[in-house]
Amino acid sequence: MTTPADRRLSWSTDRLSDSRPEVSARTLWARGQLRFLLGLAVLIVVGLLLSPRWTGVLLMIGCTSVYLAVISHRLILIRTAIARPDMIRISDAEAREFPEKLLPVYTVLVPAYGEPEVVGQLLANLTAIDYPRDKLDIKLLLEEDDHPTREAVAAAGIPPGFEVVVVPPAEPRTKPKACNYGLQTARGRYVTIYDAEDKPEPLQLRRAVVAFSRADPRTACLQAKLSYHNFDQNLITRWFTAEYDVWFSYLLSGLVGTGTPVPLGGTSNHIRRRALRTFGGWDPYNVTEDADLGIRLARAGLRVEVLDSVTMEEANSDFVNWVKQRSRWYKGYLQTFIVHTRDPRRLVREVGLKGALGFSLFVGGTPILAMLNPLFWGLAVLWVAGEPSWIAALFPPVVYHLALACGLLGNMATVYSTIVCNRGSGHHRLVMSGLLAPAYWVMMAMAAVKGALQLVLAPSHWEKTIHGLDLTKSGAKPSADEAS
């Protein structure tokens, strides 16, 4: 006999992999993909043995073409977003005037692990949400063996509309597994996720309800924008905030405008509960379950829109901690790319050729671009240092000029577009840090290589990062957060 808790746990860990194994990251590589990679590796090795120069030239052509395609795609997205912003805007008056009796029950899932120091602020931020208390279904998802956080919540007291859901310990120990567990008892028509350090804009839930009431019935999710309250803490937080400005205000809007599947952000995505349960919830084995869910919704013919409402978070201000977090994101994007390209023809049928190409360039291209940078930087340094003949052999005139365009024009355009986007978002103080962005790309490269290695060694491992680093100046103790 199994208990209700056992059944909920089984659903949380096995529902997607049992019902739709073709889109689950539980088993990462499909046989066809492994055969393709093995064949490609054999082809490269044989080519290097028979004709090392021309094999090297072909590899450089491939790497340069991917680099150019990814950068060009990003610039097209930004241009699209600037020319015709595809974002849903609901005014304060429209949000407040929506009849209260028509407001549905709204579920808020808050996964928290190792967060006793921020419990008080968390409860205050959630209590500030402007929504009827009797229609809020806020679930604090606490791990059974996380006694410090559970004790802190008990000591703080649970406001009306809040419920503590204790998640039993089971593999995988990931945020999406906890969210799936909480989803089993969700009462809301809509569901959203906030992290423990999030401070959502108070009217965000009301804006989402109004937006859903006006949206196409195929709209299954609204992604609110994310930004950082501690953007001016140090250079890393300024870089991070500048990146988020571009990501949520321009790139995601550009994806919507071009009809490309939208990878969701980690929090503040507002989803129709029926659609979420129908498609198996979040993938507990994917460490960017949010991005994966956005792609699965698109493959099902549903839409994701961007909601003009901001949730403030804490920007990671420590180098080591930032690399840990970013390497998980890159690993998850690689997971998502691998999972959804198992059957390329089916992907094209479901999202169209343009959507499949855009997905590959954006989701697959994001970590791949970061990993290609060290290759080209290293070759450039070696060339300047001694002009070795073997590098000249790798770059015939056409390839050389293409690589030069990527290295100079492409990267200059990336820096320039970031500055333009930051000015457009009102973050004028980030402009100077944007000129130093190439140093930030070095950090990205390190994180991407680390994420790729973890993809091989520990694909579903959820590496802990630290929250509360913005409080250390005041003597507060930071907290480890597995759900960051």
Side-chain angles (χ1 to χ4, degrees):
M1 296 292 291
T2 60
T3 67
D6 292 333
R7 290 192 290 272
R8 287 199 298 271
L9 185 60
S10 176
W11 196 97
S12 304
T13 57
D14 303 328
R15 171 69 168 84
L16 183 65
S17 58
D18 287 348
S19 62
R20 300 192 63 199
E22 72 278 5
V23 292
S24 168
R26 187 169 194 165
T27 301
L28 186 57
W29 297 97
R31 290 183 179 179
Q33 291 173 311
L34 291 175
R35 286 195 294 267
F36 172 79
L37 289 176
L38 179 60
L40 182 62
V42 170
L43 187 63
I44 291 173
V45 170
V46 171
L48 289 173
L49 291 174
L50 298 178
S51 180
R53 183 199 171 193
W54 287 108
T55 301
V57 170
L58 290 175
L59 288 174
M60 285 301 104
I61 291 175
C63 291
T64 304
S65 299
V66 169
Y67 199 100
L68 182 61
V70 173
I71 288 183
S72 299
H73 182 243
R74 298 231 167 172
L75 295 176
I76 290 171
L77 294 179
I78 291 173
R79 183 180 181 277
T80 300
I82 292 175
R84 53 178 193 280
D86 210 320
M87 191 176 300
I88 298 177
R89 291 183 170 89
I90 305 296
S91 69
D92 290 1
E94 291 173 312
R96 291 193 174 99
E97 289 170 0
F98 193 86
E100 190 164 306
K101 65 180 180 180
L102 298 181
L103 290 174
V105 174
Y106 216 115
T107 294
V108 177
L109 302 178
V110 189
Y113 181 81
E115 299 281 11
E117 293 84 1
V118 300
V119 163
Q121 188 62 53
L122 165 64
L123 296 178
N125 291 341
L126 295 178
T127 303
I129 293 175
D130 185 347
Y131 206 83
R133 296 293 104 185
D134 61 333
K135 295 186 176 184
L136 270 180
D137 176 34
I138 300 178
K139 299 188 182 298
L140 304 179
L141 310 179
L142 309 181
E143 298 286 338
E144 185 176 305
D145 55 0
D146 183 14
H147 301 292
T149 304
R150 293 178 61 187
E151 291 169 2
V153 170
I158 303 299
F162 286 64
E163 177 189 356
V164 171
V165 177
V166 179
V167 182
E171 295 297 329
R173 299 295 293 269
T174 59
K175 171 183 172 180
K177 185 208 72 177
C179 290
N180 281 340
Y181 193 85
L183 179 64
Q184 303 308 295
T185 57
R187 298 185 292 109
R189 182 188 304 172
Y190 306 116
V191 177
T192 192
I193 298 176
Y194 293 128
D195 281 343
E197 85 281 10
D198 283 1
K199 184 177 182 180
E201 183 251 331
L203 287 173
Q204 189 171 113
L205 301 190
R206 287 179 178 266
R207 293 190 206 279
V209 170
V210 176
F212 272 123
S213 71
R214 299 175 181 177
D216 186 310
R218 293 180 301 134
T219 299
C221 178
L222 303 172
Q223 173 65 65
K225 299 192 293 185
L226 304 179
S227 191
Y228 295 118
H229 63 80
N230 62 323
F231 74 93
D232 216 14
Q233 184 175 344
N234 60 26
L235 185 57
I236 293 177
T237 61
R238 287 192 285 273
W239 280 332
F240 210 172
T241 306
E243 182 186 15
Y244 257 39
D245 269 358
V246 176
W247 191 272
F248 285 96
S249 295
Y250 295 91
L251 292 178
L252 294 192
S253 177
L255 290 173
V256 174
T258 57
T260 303
V262 179
L264 302 177
T267 79
S268 306
N269 31 63
H270 301 261
I271 313 167
R272 297 184 191 270
R273 180 169 63 92
R274 180 178 297 178
L276 190 54
R277 287 188 60 96
T278 298
F279 295 105
W282 296 273
D283 186 348
Y285 296 92
N286 189 316
V287 296
T288 50
E289 76 296 333
D290 39 15
D292 168 73
L293 178 61
I295 309 308
R296 282 194 283 127
L297 291 175
R299 296 188 67 172
L302 301 176
R303 291 179 55 83
V304 173
E305 303 280 358
V306 179
L307 178 66
D308 190 14
S309 178
V310 180
T311 295
M312 303 304 292
E313 297 189 315
E314 176 202 343
N316 216 318
S317 57
D318 175 76
F319 170 76
V320 174
N321 204 48
W322 183 95
V323 170
K324 287 182 178 180
Q325 184 184 62
R326 182 54 60 95
S327 65
R328 176 173 62 79
W329 292 358
Y330 282 148
K331 179 173 69 171
Y333 265 49
L334 289 171
Q335 279 182 311
T336 303
F337 176 69
I338 292 167
V339 165
H340 292 284
T341 54
R342 288 170 176 167
D343 187 343
R345 286 180 294 184
R346 181 175 177 181
L347 177 66
V348 170
R349 285 199 306 270
E350 292 174 342
V351 302
L353 180 60
K354 184 175 69 172
L357 181 61
F359 158 75
S360 299
L361 291 175
F362 195 76
V363 174
T366 294
I368 290 173
L369 184 69
M371 286 187 285
L372 285 176
N373 271 328
L375 170 65
F376 287 114
W377 294 337
L379 291 173
V381 169
L382 289 174
W383 179 254
V384 171
E387 298 187 5
S389 58
W390 62 270
I391 292 183
L394 291 176
F395 290 91
V398 174
V399 183
Y400 170 78
H401 288 99
L402 189 62
L404 188 64
C406 288
L408 295 180
L409 299 178
N411 288 327
M412 287 175 61
T414 300
V415 172
Y416 177 75
S417 63
T418 299
I419 293 173
V420 169
C421 293
N422 292 157
R423 287 179 62 85
S425 299
H427 274 128
H428 302 284
R429 295 171 65 183
L430 299 176
V431 170
M432 291 306 297
S433 61
L435 297 175
L436 302 174
Y440 190 50
W441 300 344
V442 175
M443 294 170 57
M444 291 181 175
M446 297 172 63
V449 172
K450 181 173 180 286
L453 290 173
Q454 279 200 348
L455 184 70
V456 176
L457 301 175
S460 294
H461 173 63
W462 194 286
E463 191 167 26
K464 293 182 181 180
T465 56
I466 305 293
H467 280 161
L469 294 175
D470 59 325
L471 304 175
T472 54
K473 289 183 178 180
S474 61
K477 181 182 177 182
S479 59
D481 174 26
E482 188 170 344
S484 69

